[in-house]
Amino acid sequence: MYRILAREDLTPDINLFKVEAPEIARKAQAGQFVIVRSDEKGERIPLTIADWNKEEGSVAVVFMKVGTSTRKLACLNAGDNILDFVGPLGRPTEIEKFGTVACVAGGFAIATIVPIARAMKQAGNKVISIMGFRSKDLVFWEEKLDSMSDELVVTTDDGSYKRKGLVTEPLKELLQNTEVNRVIAIGPTVMMKFCSLTTRPFSVKTIVSLNPIMVDGTGMCGCCRVSVGGETKFACVDGPDFDGHQVDWDLLMSRQRAYLDEEKESVKLWDSRTSGGKSYA
Amino acid sequence: MPKKINLNRVPIPKQEAAERARNFNEVALGYSEEQAIEEANRCLQCPKPICKEGCPVNVDIPEFIKALREGDMPEAVRILKGKNSLPGVCGRVCPQEMQCEKTCVLAKKGAPIAIGRLERYVADWERTHPQTAGKQKDNYAANSSKVAVVGSGPAGLTCAADLAKMGYAVTIFEALHVAGGVLMYGIPEFRLPKTIVQGEVDYVKSLGVETKLDQVIGKIATVDELLDNGYDAVFLAPGAGAPMFLNIPGENLSNIYSANEFLTRTNLMKAYLFPEYDTPIKVGKRVAVFGGGNVAMDASRCALRLGAEEVYIIYRRSKVEMPARLEERENAEEEGVIFKLLTNPKRFIGDEQGRVKAVELYEMELGEPDESGRRRPIPKPGTEFTMDIDAAISALGTRPNPIIPSTTKGLALTKWGTVKTDEATGRTSRERIWCGGDMATGAATVISAMGAGKRAAADIDAYFKGKS
């Protein structure tokens, strides 16, 4: 059992848990993830490590309420326990002094890009961050990312806050006007795909963090296999970071949709038992 | 007391094939007391029992059978568990026909003692008679050495139990959320009920073994960190590792599973109880399983129970070359699994959603024997045909998971990526590191992994005794 030390609601549907996991905190590096299972009947789901504190022995994860597993997690509060919390898994993001690094994140993946931006900054890079949200009420951690970036651009799809549009537009302008040595793009799959398409003509190496469905998360099952440069890779042990210009995006998206019907059925059952997911049945 | 030889092996009651193919309850129902005694009475109590030589963990077979037929069940349990910490598992999944029952003198007459079934009977009796069975209160001399065991499958549990009995302080590190390894995620409920596995895990814990779950060694701590932080020795038994795929076009389409994934979803995550349990699985109406081993049998029988209407085992050689146990092959056939032999896949075909909808197959014929001694399958040109399927499962074996080798300096590997291990002792190229089970041998049986765990425990003990 892993105790939740603190809960923070970043938006109505995006929550942060700071979890007591001293051994994981000691080893965690930017870009790695944990596998979480909320209860005996729960799925094993991967959540990216958003932060860690060795002294406190804590690991922070951020998740968005989408299916049953994240609905169950969202019912938990500080002092409650998570049944399983396994990590740190996956390979850490490659951090070195590249020169200028663009950190691009969309939606709840802001939480994932923050430790990477921090590590890139500490490695001596100039960090230019771009964060995108659907609308103003979903914006979080702007100051946090700003504090570890040399420049920060914020976009909203509907223009309700700062720049209107998608992250790919400022990304393209940046590449046109500045020499960028590496791009890190993390967010929804479609956003990572279009960031990779945007950077390709500029031949700037673009690292994406893939989020296929996983089961064990340790290389045992192959559920998370992705095609990169024509080769099958397991995102859990070979990634989750890959070269975005080599990823077969359509394959990834179709595999992510494999259980859409079952997810709907599961959520319906959960909501019917919890009157909208307010509490455990 | 010269006795007339009785060649009537007592059959084990089973669920009817048609009924069991639709449920996850145990297939073989186990002997009743009368049946067990009747079978035990056939044992000749040979003065030189060669059945024992066939057992990788050297169970005192005639002795426990004698106690059983004399009605002294606590004694039968004591004898059995003296050598085997997982008798409920072994009684169900050991290939006895290749081991103890093969060397039984009555095997020559075609009716070896059903040692496995009797073993199961004794183990199940203990589980259902916790009061009368009595706890084994051997007083193990405490030992100052600490041993870390990586993995809680058959090799890890056996090594841990034996070391605990010798007084060592043992901690098992398990990557998954329950202990048992392949006994939990791999072997299906209908062949090995999970309550039986957990009962045996509890027994190992009762010997003083500590189990730490959710610990991926190589990630949360390296093997060297274990050795630097208080453990005097490490036994590596992390299991089979990474699944192999067919390497043909289309195999990343949705609803194509490795057997590891299919079985893990089904057994460990209980996808057969979806949506009560959260993990889903998809089989559809027609399922193709590729491979001819026990895992292919397990996967195909799970697919039937998950509701598939037609399940095919597609194997490139003929039935004779199949590595699966005869009993499992028969069980699968009785339940309605269709064997498509001398057939090999060429490519998978997907629909517009990226889901598999068909597989293109071609026929094979057998040529000269290859290095494995089995006749080599050769493609027959021009025999391609297409079969519609809703799901496919690759049961082609595994290669070692690289997490531990890549984080342990100086650990010598074989060309297959397994850890170079001395078979008799479990020693590796690194001092204080032993290895056993699939990580040392590649995919093998539960009992051979247990044998490796046992030998490593003995050698770890010899190592420390030699030091002091």
Side-chain angles (χ1 to χ4, degrees):
Chain A
M1 299 281 254
Y2 300 81
R3 202 156 60 95
I4 300 168
L5 298 172
R7 167 183 169 140
E8 200 181 322
D9 294 351
L10 303 174
T11 77
D13 280 334
I14 300 176
N15 306 302
L16 176 144
F17 283 166
K18 204 198 263 183
V19 178
E20 188 172 34
E23 289 164 307
I24 302 176
R26 252 199 316 272
K27 301 285 274 196
Q29 294 180 66
Q32 291 188 295
F33 66 92
V34 288
I35 288 274
V36 174
R37 192 174 69 125
S38 60
D39 65 314
E40 237 0 280
K41 295 180 178 177
E43 270 193 287
R44 294 169 64 96
I45 58 162
L47 296 177
T48 310
I49 295 173
D51 207 352
W52 59 93
N53 184 324
K54 288 186 174 72
E55 287 70 39
E56 193 182 53
S58 70
V59 172
V61 289
V62 171
F63 59 93
M64 184 161 70
K65 221 158 70 174
V66 279
T68 303
S69 301
T70 42
R71 276 174 163 72
K72 281 183 169 180
L73 284 176
C75 292
L76 302 175
N77 285 302
D80 292 338
N81 289 306
I82 296 176
L83 191 54
D84 298 293
F85 197 79
V86 191
L89 300 174
R91 293 186 182 188
T93 299
E94 188 189 3
I95 305 287
E96 55 180 82
K97 189 170 176 185
F98 297 106
T100 300
V101 177
C103 292
V104 190
F108 83 105
I110 307 302
T112 311
I113 208 97
V114 159
I116 296 171
R118 184 174 58 205
M120 287 292 186
K121 186 75 195 154
Q122 281 165 357
N125 293 290
K126 180 179 182 188
V127 174
I128 301 172
S129 298
I130 303 171
M131 60 201 299
F133 302 90
R134 276 206 318 277
S135 61
K136 186 182 178 182
D137 50 327
L138 301 176
V139 177
F140 68 95
W141 281 11
E142 182 182 355
E143 277 172 32
K144 197 166 183 168
L145 188 55
D146 192 38
S147 72
M148 45 196 74
S149 309
D150 294 276
E151 291 169 31
L152 175 70
V153 181
V154 184
T155 68
T156 51
D157 297 359
D158 62 2
S160 55
Y161 184 66
K162 301 233 166 140
R163 182 169 170 168
K164 182 179 191 308
L166 302 172
V167 289
T168 45
E169 293 156 24
L171 176 61
K172 189 175 176 185
E173 289 162 22
L174 176 69
L175 294 167
Q176 281 165 340
N177 301 324
T178 318
E179 194 202 327
V180 174
N181 306 96
R182 179 157 292 211
V183 174
I184 314 286
I186 308 181
T189 305
V190 65
M191 168 260 175
M192 292 192 282
K193 174 183 174 175
F194 281 98
C195 285
S196 301
L197 289 174
T198 305
T199 61
R200 186 195 288 271
F202 298 93
S203 303
V204 180
K205 184 142 183 181
T206 300
I207 300 299
V208 292
S209 177
L210 302 187
N211 50 354
I213 300 171
M214 291 186 186
V215 184
D216 68 291
T218 64
M220 192 190 87
C221 81
C223 176
C224 66
R225 59 197 195 274
V226 292
S227 179
V228 181
E231 268 182 73
T232 296
K233 299 276 184 191
F234 290 2
C236 66
V237 287
D238 300 323
D241 285 7
F242 292 101
D243 180 345
H245 296 155
Q246 307 281 326
V247 171
D248 182 339
W249 294 102
D250 295 340
L251 176 76
L252 174 64
M253 284 188 262
S254 79
R255 286 188 65 83
Q256 285 172 328
R257 285 192 303 263
Y259 296 100
L260 271 192
D261 295 342
E262 287 76 11
E263 278 165 27
K264 277 185 201 144
E265 184 186 350
S266 176
V267 163
K268 204 173 150 194
L269 179 70
W270 173 254
D271 283 350
S272 74
R273 286 180 176 177
T274 56
S275 52
K278 292 279 179 265
S279 67
Y280 264 106
Chain B
M1 182 184 70
K3 251 181 26 178
K4 201 168 161 246
I5 291 176
N6 175 354
L7 295 178
N8 296 312
R9 225 168 117 99
V10 178
I12 196 160
K14 282 185 190 178
Q15 276 197 77
E16 283 302 322
E19 188 186 327
R20 73 180 192 239
R22 299 290 161 192
N23 70 52
F24 272 86
N25 302 333
E26 195 168 14
V27 168
L29 301 172
Y31 280 155
S32 65
E33 186 182 344
E34 295 70 31
Q35 289 168 321
I37 290 174
E38 188 187 337
E39 181 63 19
N41 277 334
R42 297 203 307 121
C43 176
L44 300 178
Q45 294 289 308
C46 303
K48 278 185 100 180
I50 46 178
C51 53
K52 276 191 200 182
E53 291 166 20
C55 175
V57 296
N58 309 109
V59 165
D60 293 314
I61 295 166
E63 289 85 348
F64 95 77
I65 291 180
K66 184 162 183 279
L68 191 169
R69 73 187 187 195
E70 287 171 356
D72 190 351
M73 291 305 293
E75 177 65 3
V77 171
R78 197 191 59 76
I79 295 168
L80 187 53
K81 285 199 150 175
K83 293 285 169 65
N84 185 344
S85 299
L86 315 173
V89 170
C90 289
R92 288 173 166 82
V93 303
C94 264
Q96 287 98 9
E97 70 281 4
M98 304 299 292
Q99 299 172 351
C100 53
E101 294 182 16
K102 189 181 184 185
T103 53
C104 170
V105 288
L106 292 180
K108 292 191 198 88
K109 311 245 180 218
I113 301 300
I115 300 166
R117 294 169 186 175
L118 293 175
E119 179 181 32
R120 169 183 168 164
Y121 176 77
V122 173
D124 288 358
W125 181 88
E126 189 203 13
R127 200 168 43 81
T128 48
H129 297 76
Q131 306 309 320
T132 34
K135 286 277 165 283
Q136 287 185 294
K137 286 236 186 320
D138 306 60
N139 237 345
Y140 306 124
N143 184 313
S144 59
S145 300
K146 279 174 74 180
V147 182
V149 171
V150 180
S152 64
L157 286 174
T158 302
C159 185
D162 279 21
L163 287 169
K165 287 178 184 171
M166 293 186 264
Y168 290 87
V170 185
T171 306
I172 297 181
F173 295 87
E174 167 56 46
L176 291 172
H177 55 257
V178 288
V182 72
L183 308 173
M184 290 303 289
Y185 76 75
I187 303 177
E189 176 78 17
F190 56 83
R191 218 150 66 75
L192 179 61
K194 300 311 146 207
T195 51
I196 303 285
V197 181
Q198 288 312 305
E200 316 236 88
V201 169
D202 288 343
Y203 165 71
V204 175
K205 285 191 198 163
S206 76
L207 300 170
V209 172
E210 182 191 11
T211 52
K212 287 187 154 190
L213 305 175
D214 292 340
Q215 308 269 314
V216 183
I217 296 304
K219 290 292 185 183
I220 196 159
T222 62
V223 172
D224 281 295
E225 284 166 335
L226 295 177
L227 290 170
D228 291 344
N229 292 311
Y231 291 98
D232 302 295
V234 176
F235 177 60
L236 299 175
M244 294 202 281
F245 287 92
L246 288 154
N247 269 321
I248 58 172
E251 73 182 338
N252 291 333
L253 290 164
S254 294
N255 306 340
I256 300 179
Y257 297 91
S258 73
N260 267 6
E261 182 189 351
F262 192 79
L263 292 172
T264 299
R265 282 182 180 270
T266 309
N267 302 317
L268 181 72
M269 306 310 295
K270 297 197 166 29
Y272 61 93
L273 298 175
F274 179 86
E276 190 54 41
Y277 280 69
D278 297 341
T279 303
I281 198 160
K282 281 200 160 166
V283 293
K285 290 189 175 135
R286 279 159 75 97
V287 180
V289 180
F290 298 91
N294 289 320
V295 175
M297 303 303 139
D298 283 347
S300 62
R301 297 170 71 195
C302 281
L304 276 181
R305 285 161 173 79
L306 286 161
E309 288 168 15
E310 286 172 43
V311 178
Y312 293 86
I313 286 207
I314 295 170
Y315 183 56
R316 63 197 181 123
R317 306 182 201 242
S318 73
K319 216 178 246 180
V320 200
E321 289 86 14
M322 273 196 167
R325 282 181 79 185
L326 178 67
E327 185 185 332
E328 298 311 322
R329 229 162 63 195
E330 287 173 353
N331 277 330
E333 279 193 293
E334 274 174 29
E335 289 167 14
V337 172
I338 303 157
F339 286 58
K340 240 179 163 35
L341 303 167
L342 291 166
T343 307
N344 214 28
K346 192 170 183 181
R347 66 183 177 113
F348 290 106
I349 301 158
D351 66 11
E352 60 289 342
Q353 305 284 327
R355 293 175 300 216
V356 67
K357 68 169 187 184
V359 58
E360 189 179 324
L361 302 163
Y362 58 95
E363 292 173 17
M364 310 287 280
E365 58 192 346
L366 293 178
E368 294 301 307
D370 62 14
E371 61 275 12
S372 75
R374 296 178 299 179
R375 293 178 66 191
R376 185 193 303 273
I378 304 164
K380 276 164 83 173
T383 56
E384 286 83 358
F385 64 102
T386 302
M387 186 167 109
D388 288 345
I389 54 170
D390 301 306
I393 302 162
S394 286
L396 304 166
T398 55
R399 54 195 161 78
N401 188 310
I403 292 179
I404 288 175
S406 67
T407 53
T408 312
K409 280 202 187 79
L411 189 65
L413 305 178
T414 67
K415 63 177 173 179
W416 300 282
T418 51
V419 174
K420 230 178 216 172
T421 304
D422 177 59
E423 206 194 323
T425 61
R427 290 194 187 194
T428 69
S429 61
R430 284 274 313 265
E431 194 165 0
R432 299 202 284 152
I433 302 177
W434 281 257
C435 182
D438 286 358
M439 190 61 169
T441 58
T445 59
V446 168
I447 188 70
S448 68
M450 290 175 60
K454 212 168 184 60
R455 292 191 297 275
D459 192 65
I460 290 169
D461 185 51
Y463 173 85
F464 286 117
K465 292 232 167 88
K467 288 253 151 185
S468 59

